[in-house]
Structure formats: structure tokens, C-alpha cells
Amino acid sequence: MELANKRIVVVGMGRTGLAVSRFCARRGGRVTVSDRATAVENPDKIEELKALGVSLEMGGHREETFQNAELIVMSPGVSENIAPVRAAAAAGIPVTGEIELAFGFIDIPIVAVTGTNGKTTTCELLAAMLERSGRSVFLGGNIGNPLISYADQPRPVDVLVVEISSFQLDTIDTFRPRVGVLLNISPDHLDRYADFNAYAASKMRLFENQQSTDTAVLNAGDPVIEELSAAVPGQKFFYPHLDDRQAGASLSNDRIYLRWLRPSADQSQVSDSEIDLTHFSLVGRHNRENACAAALAALMAGGNAAGVQAAIDEFSGLAHRLEKVGRVNGVDYINDSKATNVDSVARALECFEGRTILIMGGLDKGGNFESLAQLVASRSRMLILTGAAADRIRAALGNVVAVKEAENLKEAVQMAHAAARPGDTVLLSPGCASFDKYRNYQERGRDFRAAVEALTQ
Ligand code: UMA
């Protein structure tokens, strides 16, 4: 795509908007970045953009700016439904997203991972598997490192591993991953989508431009994926049950059995590999399933079984995802701040044998908290609520468990400390976004860790 001299409006000035503005301006685009906020997160970056000739429109999106554009590039956190974008699209002005824009400038095979939960862990594991197989990798996308930053300063790598959110898929047009991985689809972001079907359809767009020679790695244990996968055009590899399928992965307690097709010029050769999970340090069946998906994708993207095994043995997990941040008086404190939807709270609760004191709350994304009732009743001694969604969660779960309410996370941790008995687990698994009180889930997780550390000071 030719960007020189094009009037480009970049919508949103977060990480994506900054990277897109830089990219377009360096290619001669006449860029305006428009943000509804009056102040931005990275004021130091403003000078850099100004030096590149980028105009800044802060404190709102002006209809006229959008009508004047020849191309509009959305940040994923901004809905295409906002009025100036809708009006511009109706006037025939092209509206795209960062992933689509980046894709036009990239000619290295892309392995893309989406799903409601587990994307980041799977991407990190997959990248490690490829690296331990001797492949060089760029890891980016929704994980926090915009894909366009790779297109801006390409380095010679063998594979791009890209985490993709539904928001990012909403603005694709030709984006085509050679290997697409879909981990699961459960209700999330219902504050942005009309309903669950619209959200699920967005996730399935990962495969819409794939061809028969491309690969789709699909979770057969997810009923929504099972139903929607018939329309996937590429070669399908299912996990975590092989059944009588020709290829895919089958998971038992401590082993993954992989049957995969080695792509070759004339015909596909079937290969069998086994991966030992004895030293895999992540808890929960969902993480072993994620390992199946990562292993299949790694093998299809040029990795080998030895590299997959080495990464499985070495992987130590990620911060804010079932991360143990302390043990006080025989009680474990677990930071699962990344659990921003209801399904991820369920996965977390399933991981702990003993009783939990569960801390939930934050900004409500329209989740169905009632669906947690059985698990909370059987696994939790107490539910401590904090943040904007507290009333809705109390209404949904208040009849199955003792509920307390805390002003903030520090108070929630102190309450949990007072109520916990040795052998219990105090689990922060909010089931909500963090934006009511924090800039992001990482900040919330760090606040939780600090409150736990303060218990022993
Ligand atoms: N804004 C407007 N107008 C609006 C709404 C927002 O101007 O109507 C502005 C805000 O004032 C802010 C900017 O848009 O300045 C924020 O844009 P953004 O939310 O797209 O944030 P980025 O920093 O660009 O981060 C995005 C992803 N954020 C979202 O999808 C919400 C990051 O994923 C991603 O890491 C980053 O791009 C790089 O690719 C975060 C996320 O929460 C981790 N993702 C969701 C998830 O994983 O569930 C999808």
C-alpha cells in the first residue's frame, strides 16, 4: 500500500496508535492521530511524533478530520461504531486496523493465536518451542508489542508469532496466517459485541483468508469451535483428542501424543512424536491443552520435537496468570489478575484442590457470573468483592458463598489474610477488566503482590 502523501487518521494514541503513526509518517504519510482523551499515557512520545510531522488531535474525534482522511487506521480498543468512523466509512473512506496494515508489509510466515483465554501463555510457549528448535522468532500483537513495529523495522527472522484479539480481527481484510490457532471461545467483551455469536464470529475470522495449504489448530474440546470449524478452509489439526483423526494431538495426564503432517513438496508425510509433561510447571488442564496447541503449531511452523520438549521443560509461566506471589502462615497467595472474564475464573478455581478465598471485581464486561455458582460453592470459603462490578457479582453469587466487600485490593488481601486457614489459597481472579481503578491488569496484579508482601512487613 502506498502511504506517501496520503492523509491518514490514526484513531487512538495508545501503544498501537503510536506505532502506526510512526510507521505511516516514516513512509511519507500525512498523519493525524486522534484521541478522545485530553492527556495520553506516553507524553514523552508526543515530541517524537511531532518531530515526524504527525498532527495531534486530543480531547475528542472531530468529524471533519475523519471526513478529510484518505485512510483511517483504528486502534483495537476503539470500536468502529463510534460516530465519526461510521460516517467516514459511509462516505467511502477506507477504514482498517493495525494488523491488516502491517500484514501488507510483511512477507514472512505468520503463526497467529487467538482465543478467549490462554493466548499469551500459548504464544510465549510457542515462541520458545520454535526458538529451542533453532528458529528465529518475532513475538508480537495483542501481547503488547504491535505487529506494525516489526513491519517498521524488519529483522531477518524465520517466523512471526502473533497474538490476535477479536478486536484486531474485526478490522482485517486480507490478513492470512499460515498457521492459525484457536484455543477456546467463551463469553467475553460483551460490552462491545452485539451478542456472543457476534464475538464468536469475530474469532473465526482468523481463518477467513486461509487456503487449503494453510494450517488450522483447533480445540475439539470446545463445543463452539467444534460447531464453527466446518467452515475452516485450511488443513485442520484438532486437540486434545486425536480420536480417529489422521492428525492432531492427544493429551493424557503427563504426555502429549502428536501426529502431524510434515509438509513436503510432493506429499504430506505423517510424523509421530511424544512430549513428556512431567516437568511442565504450569498448573491446570487448560495449560496442558494450551501446550498441545503450541506444540502442534510449532511443528507445523518448522519446529522439531526436541525443541518442543526443551521449551516445555523450561517454561516457568507468566506474571499475573496463576502466579504464586507469596505464602503466609501456610496460605498461598495467587495473582491471576489477567483473568478478566468469567471463564478464566472457572479455569483458575479448578486448579486448586483445597479451599480458596476468592477475590473478584473490577470493571464489568457483561459476564455471566451466575455460571460460576457451582464451582464457587464447592471450592471457595469466601468471596471478597472490590471495584465497580461488586454489586452484580454479589447478586449472582451471594447465595452460594459468604461475601465481603473491600474498598480496594489492599483491604481485600487483609480480609483474606484474617479469614484464611493453613492449606487455603487466596486467589485474585477478578473476572472483570481492571480499568475502573487501574491502567491495566499488570498494574492491578502488582498492587495485589504489594498488598501480599505488606502482610509480612
Ligand atoms: N480511545 C479513543 N477513542 C475511543 C476509545 C479509546 O481515542 O473511543 C483511545 C484511548 O484514550 C487511548 C487509546 O484509544 O489513548 C487506547 O487504544 P487501545 O485501547 O487500542 O490501546 P493500545 O495501547 O493500543 O493497546 C492495544 C490493545 N488494547 C486493547 O485491545 C484494548 C492491547 O491489548 C495490545 O497489547 C496493544 O494494542 C498492542 O497490540 C490489551 C488488551 O486488553 C492487552 N487486549 C484485550 C484482551 O486481551 O482481552 C483485547
Side-chain angles (χ1 to χ4, degrees):
M1 182 189 283
E2 187 53 60
L3 299 175
N5 290 319
K6 201 171 250 182
R7 289 188 302 281
I8 301 166
V9 172
V10 177
V11 193
M13 200 183 153
R15 265 168 296 174
T16 307
L18 281 169
V20 170
S21 301
R22 198 183 285 132
F23 177 83
C24 294
R26 281 183 182 154
R27 276 153 193 79
R30 289 151 64 194
V31 180
T32 300
V33 58
S34 174
D35 200 296
R36 70 175 176 194
T38 44
V40 289
E41 252 181 52
N42 302 303
D44 51 315
K45 298 284 190 290
I46 288 181
E47 293 311 314
E48 183 201 336
L49 290 185
K50 282 185 179 161
L52 283 167
V54 174
S55 308
L56 267 64
E57 174 177 277
M58 303 299 298
H61 305 302
R62 282 176 59 236
E63 184 115 14
E64 198 193 327
T65 310
F66 285 65
Q67 288 294 334
N68 242 328
E70 292 169 291
L71 176 68
I72 295 174
V73 187
M74 305 296 295
S75 291
V78 185
S79 163
E80 281 175 281
N81 263 331
I82 61 171
V85 176
R86 273 211 321 261
I93 298 164
V95 178
T96 191
E98 175 249 333
I99 295 293
E100 178 66 25
L101 183 66
F103 182 66
F105 292 86
I106 288 173
D107 54 11
I108 288 170
I110 291 180
V111 183
V113 178
T114 196
T116 306
N117 294 311
K119 295 185 287 296
T120 302
T121 301
T122 305
C123 280
E124 292 272 6
L125 191 52
L126 168 55
M129 287 170 173
L130 288 166
E131 276 166 353
R132 294 298 262 113
S133 303
R135 314 283 289 170
S136 54
V137 176
F138 168 90
L139 176 59
N142 188 64
I143 204 162
N145 182 17
L147 182 59
I148 198 100
S149 62
Y150 177 79
D152 203 10
Q153 288 181 320
R155 309 189 281 283
V157 292
D158 298 317
V159 192
L160 306 187
V161 174
V162 187
E163 176 182 331
I164 299 279
S165 71
S166 59
F167 297 164
Q168 290 170 322
L169 289 169
D170 287 340
T171 49
I172 64 159
D173 182 22
T174 63
F175 178 68
R176 174 192 165 198
R178 290 307 166 92
V179 179
V181 181
L182 177 53
L183 300 172
N184 45 60
I185 310 181
S186 64
D188 199 7
H189 299 303
L190 295 175
D191 48 349
R192 175 132 154 203
Y193 291 94
D195 54 28
F196 176 66
N197 289 340
Y199 170 65
S202 167
K203 287 285 186 207
M204 294 308 293
R205 293 194 64 191
L206 187 73
F207 306 107
E208 74 180 18
N209 296 308
Q210 280 200 321
Q211 296 172 12
S212 58
T213 48
D214 297 327
T215 300
V217 175
L218 300 157
N219 183 348
D222 185 305
V224 181
I225 296 177
E226 266 266 89
E227 193 187 319
L228 298 176
S229 62
V232 170
Q235 260 187 328
K236 290 178 245 187
F237 290 72
F238 286 98
Y239 68 94
H241 317 291
L242 201 44
D243 299 333
D244 55 358
R245 292 184 191 102
Q246 198 196 355
S250 158
L251 173 69
S252 67
N253 262 348
D254 58 3
R255 293 199 101 61
I256 301 174
Y257 171 66
L258 296 150
R259 168 158 275 223
W260 51 291
L261 303 178
R262 198 184 292 275
S264 69
D266 45 358
Q267 60 179 70
S268 289
Q269 301 169 308
V270 174
S271 295
D272 293 292
S273 307
E274 256 187 64
I275 301 298
D276 179 4
L277 294 176
T278 316
H279 300 293
F280 187 46
S281 66
L282 303 195
V283 291
R285 180 172 166 92
H286 64 288
N287 275 321
R288 295 203 300 280
E289 291 185 2
N290 293 339
C292 287
L296 276 172
L299 294 175
M300 295 312 297
N304 55 50
V308 168
Q309 183 68 64
I312 289 273
D313 292 344
E314 291 159 6
F315 195 68
S316 58
L318 303 176
H320 314 294
R321 292 157 183 86
L322 293 173
E323 176 198 19
K324 184 168 161 181
V325 293
R327 185 172 172 85
V328 183
N329 301 341
V331 176
D332 284 336
Y333 288 76
I334 308 292
N335 168 21
D336 194 32
S337 176
K338 180 64 175 66
T340 58
N341 54 56
V342 170
D343 198 52
S344 52
V345 180
R347 297 289 84 75
L349 281 170
E350 283 164 6
C351 292
F352 301 101
E353 295 290 328
R355 286 267 158 181
T356 64
I357 295 185
L358 175 63
I359 303 175
M360 288 182 71
L363 184 71
D364 185 10
K365 294 195 286 177
N368 173 13
F369 299 112
E370 282 86 359
S371 65
L372 290 172
Q374 217 180 345
L375 259 180
V376 168
S378 61
R379 306 256 170 160
S380 297
R381 179 187 307 294
M382 178 183 284
L383 174 62
I384 302 178
L385 300 173
T386 176
D391 289 347
R392 267 203 70 215
I393 304 175
R394 181 192 285 274
L397 300 173
N399 58 344
V400 300
V401 67
V403 176
K404 287 195 171 193
E405 204 160 321
E407 269 297 306
N408 50 43
L409 266 188
K410 188 172 182 201
E411 193 180 289
V413 167
Q414 286 164 348
M415 281 177 177
H417 177 58
R421 300 176 203 156
D424 284 353
T425 300
V426 174
L427 171 65
L428 167 70
S429 193
C432 297
S434 59
F435 307 122
D436 59 338
K437 287 190 179 166
Y438 300 96
R439 275 194 303 160
N440 48 44
Y441 71 82
Q442 292 95 331
E443 195 177 274
R444 175 168 65 189
R446 285 194 291 272
D447 196 25
F448 176 74
R449 176 190 273 274
V452 172
E453 284 168 0
L455 293 175
T456 52
Q457 278 159 10

